[in-house]
Amino acid sequence: MIVHSGGASCSGNGSGLVKSNRVQAGFTLVELVTVMILLGVLASLGLGGFASRSAFSPVLASQQIASATLLAQQAALAGSPSNTLTIQQSSDAITFTVGSTVTTLARNGASLSYRQQSQSGFSTVPSTGYSVTFGSMGRVVAPVTRENINFRITGDSQFDLCLSSLGAVYSGTCQ
């Protein structure tokens, strides 16, 4: 910032001279343009950070698993043949199917894996699908009866979900 001190000016009122100093303060055009350029660079870096974020939400995917599970359980309790939840994972989407109800979420680089209680590690849900069938009491009867199933959704973050052998769905890993 440059401060200009104006020259002394004199004015007369008949009885003598009055001296006043005029001071001008402000920013130069170069300083203002530099600040505008810096703000533009910072704004573009900030927008780039938001634009690169995935729109996929592990929480949304886990809520979809819980919702589809509930739908299949209700069908099983009602005696409907639509008592199976099938989850498929392609290169660009995760699909949840219960009867004629199909819901698809874009993957955006995220993945869904599962682990049955008797397995030691997680397996990626294949494109051919992973199916969970519920019996007339709303309990898991397939792929394995009386076993909990862990689901793990990974993307920008990781989220674990448990489907208990009794059909309850809750966040976290199965105990």
Side-chain angles (χ1 to χ4, degrees):
M1 181 164 71
I2 297 176
V3 177
H4 293 284
S5 180
S9 64
C10 298
S11 62
N13 62 3
S15 64
L17 295 175
V18 177
K19 185 177 176 183
S20 70
N21 285 331
R22 197 171 44 130
V23 177
Q24 294 179 344
F27 296 102
T28 66
L29 182 61
V30 172
E31 291 170 326
L32 291 173
V33 169
T34 302
V35 168
M36 301 265 297
I37 290 172
L38 285 174
L39 288 174
V41 168
L42 290 175
S44 67
L45 290 175
L47 289 176
F50 286 116
S52 67
R53 287 210 169 252
S54 170
F56 181 85
S57 167
V59 174
L60 178 63
S62 67
Q63 289 173 344
Q64 186 57 47
I65 292 172
S67 176
T69 298
L70 182 60
L71 185 61
Q73 283 178 318
Q74 288 174 340
L77 291 169
S80 170
S82 300
N83 61 344
T84 301
L85 162 63
T86 301
I87 305 169
Q88 296 172 297
Q89 182 169 239
S90 66
S91 61
D92 60 344
I94 299 174
T95 304
F96 304 90
T97 306
V98 177
S100 62
T101 304
V102 178
T103 305
T104 302
L105 297 174
R107 280 184 58 188
N108 296 328
S111 79
L112 176 61
S113 54
Y114 68 94
R115 179 177 59 100
Q116 293 169 194
Q117 190 172 355
S118 59
Q119 293 177 316
S120 60
F122 281 86
S123 302
T124 302
V125 172
S127 60
T128 55
Y130 178 75
S131 295
V132 179
T133 303
F134 297 90
S136 61
M137 297 295 290
R139 297 179 178 169
V140 176
V141 295
V144 179
T145 304
R146 295 190 183 106
E147 275 199 23
N148 298 332
I149 303 169
N150 283 300
F151 289 99
R152 178 167 284 165
I153 303 108
T154 55
D156 288 339
S157 59
Q158 177 178 301
F159 197 84
D160 290 320
L161 189 75
C162 175
L163 171 57
S164 76
S165 61
L166 298 176
V169 179
Y170 57 90
S171 64
T173 57
C174 299
Q175 304 301 320

